[in-house]
């Protein structure tokens, strides 16, 4: 199967997956307890029956469920994710405003976790059973076992409040009005702590996976043949062991790229990072169904995109692999 056929097949499957996810999200949200009209009426200071009926008519909440589903799917096919009755803005506008911050955070966390995890796993495998292996394995276990919110809070106290190395919360310095390179550096300074916090949890997974995979590949026949041919240990390790051992790590990274978006909800809340994670958290508290559905759909689309990218990287890492 050539590359265009491969991409076309993945895109068709991705669209079907997104359709199924959108359908499931719609019914799950409708099954949640609570009436958005009552929440709105309560905030307006009145909850009489007439006001509730007006709110339901205005936002289509009194329509049959099938009509609401049709309008919902019809809108999504034209990239209309609905309207937020709480924030009085189109959902797509709200999501697009917050999406760059989330992509920046999750992208940085992904690079940190994958790069650090692969290096730590490779170092541990080269000295398996030694003190270096023990330290790396222990650190990976600590990172994996410690709750994300606890790491976030403790890192704020240590690196921000005690040492003053990085900002405590926020996306950029309020009131500084930086532009150009100065603004990029300011955002990068604020990004350090949230990205490290989010990335350390996944670093532990990649490190342990890389270590186990390298130890398994190191005992394979083709590696023994490479050593028998007189190749140096560095070349055997780099060309034959690491290249084959990284394939399971790439697969795991692709599957867990979506979990980074889920983990970003907590990280963005703790660090006041203005991404779609905080938007989803606020919408959940406010029962803003339109925003919730829109964020779920965009997050699902990101996961599908990450998986297609993973398949491409997989083919590049090992050209022998044909798309199945």
């Amino acid at each position: 199967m050539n590359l265009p056929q491969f991409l076309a097949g993945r895109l068709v499957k991705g669209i079907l997956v997104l359709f199924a996810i959108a359908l499931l999200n719609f019914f799950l949200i409708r099954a949640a307890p609570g009436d958005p009209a009552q929440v709105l009426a309560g905030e307006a200071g009145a909850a009489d029956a007439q006001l509730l009926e007006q709110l339901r008519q205005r936002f289509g909440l009194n329509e049959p469920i099938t009509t609401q589903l049709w309008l919902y799917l019809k809108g999504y096919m034209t990239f209309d994710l609905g309207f937020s009755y709480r924030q009085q803005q189109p959902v797509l506008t709200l999501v697009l405003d917050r999406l760059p911050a989330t992509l920046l955070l999750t992208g940085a966390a992904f690079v940190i976790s994958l790069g650090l995890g692969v290096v730590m796993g490779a170092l541990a495998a080269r000295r398996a059973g030694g003190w270096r292996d023990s330290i790396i394995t222990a650190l990976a276990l600590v990172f994996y076992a410690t709750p994300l919110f606890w790491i976030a809070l403790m890192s704020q106290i240590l690196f921000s409040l005690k040492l003053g190395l990085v900002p405590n919360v926020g996306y950029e310095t309020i009131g500084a009005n930086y532009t150009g390179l100065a603004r990029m550096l300011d955002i990068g300074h604020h990004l350090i702590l949230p990205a490290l916090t989010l990335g350390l949890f996944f670093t532990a997974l990649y490190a342990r996976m890389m270590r186990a995979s390298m130890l398994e590949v190191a005992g394979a026949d083709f590696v023994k043949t490479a050593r028998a041919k007189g190749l140096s240990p560095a070349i055997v390790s780099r060309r034959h062991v690491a290249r084959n051992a990284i394939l399971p790590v790439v697969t795991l990274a692709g599957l867990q790229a979506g979990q980074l978006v889920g983990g970003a909800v907590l990280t963005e809340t703790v660090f006041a990072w203005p991404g779609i994670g905080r938007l989803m958290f606020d919408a959940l508290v406010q029962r803003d169904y339109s925003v919730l559905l829109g964020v779920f759909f965009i997050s699902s689309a990101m996961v599908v995109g990450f998986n297609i990218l993973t398949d491409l990287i997989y083919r590049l890492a090992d050209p022998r692999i044909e798309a199945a």
Side-chain angles (χ1 to χ4, degrees), residues 70-286:
W70 165 245
L71 294 174
Y72 162 74
L73 294 177
K74 183 181 174 183
Y76 272 43
M77 284 186 286
T78 57
F79 298 100
D80 179 7
L81 304 185
F83 190 82
S84 171
Y85 52 83
R86 293 296 300 264
Q87 305 194 44
Q88 295 297 308
Q89 290 187 57
V91 173
L92 186 60
T93 302
L94 290 171
V95 173
L96 291 181
D97 284 345
R98 303 290 189 94
L99 190 58
T102 294
L103 289 177
L104 180 62
L105 173 61
T106 53
F110 183 75
V111 171
I112 290 172
S113 60
L114 187 57
L116 195 58
V118 167
V119 171
M120 288 174 63
L123 290 175
R126 290 189 64 180
R127 297 289 185 271
W131 62 270
R132 186 185 298 170
D133 180 27
S134 300
I135 292 175
I136 291 175
T137 303
L139 282 176
L141 184 60
V142 169
F143 292 152
Y144 184 71
T146 307
L148 187 61
F149 73 91
W150 184 253
I151 294 179
L153 293 174
M154 291 302 103
S155 61
Q156 279 183 321
I157 293 174
L158 178 61
F159 297 107
S160 298
L161 301 181
K162 296 293 184 183
L163 302 178
L165 297 177
V166 289
N168 190 18
V169 295
Y171 180 74
E172 58 185 322
T173 304
I174 298 175
N177 297 322
Y178 291 127
T179 58
L181 181 61
R183 184 167 185 258
M184 291 174 60
L185 293 175
D186 185 47
I187 293 174
H189 195 205
H190 285 76
L191 177 65
I192 293 173
L193 210 51
L196 282 175
T197 301
L198 183 58
L200 281 180
F201 176 80
F202 295 95
T203 297
L205 295 177
Y206 301 145
R208 293 182 70 86
M209 173 66 76
M210 187 67 184
R211 177 185 180 277
S213 184
M214 283 195 71
L215 290 177
E216 181 181 353
V217 174
D221 290 340
F222 69 90
V223 177
K224 294 176 181 175
T225 303
R227 291 196 184 103
K229 289 166 63 179
L231 295 178
S232 67
I235 292 178
V236 172
S237 179
R238 186 174 65 252
R239 292 184 182 176
H240 297 277
V241 179
R243 185 171 182 179
N244 289 279
I246 203 171
L247 295 177
V249 181
V250 172
T251 304
L252 181 66
L255 293 174
Q256 292 191 329
Q259 291 187 13
L260 279 173
V261 180
V265 175
L266 188 58
T267 308
E268 290 178 1
T269 303
V270 173
F271 289 100
W273 191 262
I276 60 173
R278 281 194 67 197
L279 180 66
M280 182 166 64
F281 179 77
D282 294 339
L284 183 64
V285 173
Q286 298 166 354

Side-chain angles (χ1 to χ4, degrees), residues 262-324:
V265 175
L266 188 58
T267 308
E268 290 178 1
T269 303
V270 173
F271 289 100
W273 191 262
I276 60 173
R278 281 194 67 197
L279 180 66
M280 182 166 64
F281 179 77
D282 294 339
L284 183 64
V285 173
Q286 298 166 354
R287 298 172 189 168
D288 196 340
Y289 292 161
S290 299
V291 174
L292 276 177
L293 288 171
V295 172
F296 287 161
F297 183 78
I298 295 297
S299 301
S300 304
M302 290 170 61
V303 173
V304 171
F306 281 134
N307 276 278
I308 293 175
L309 183 61
T310 302
D311 289 338
L312 285 173
I313 294 175
Y314 214 88
R315 287 169 63 96
L316 293 175
D318 190 349
R320 297 171 301 174
I321 299 174
E322 292 291 338

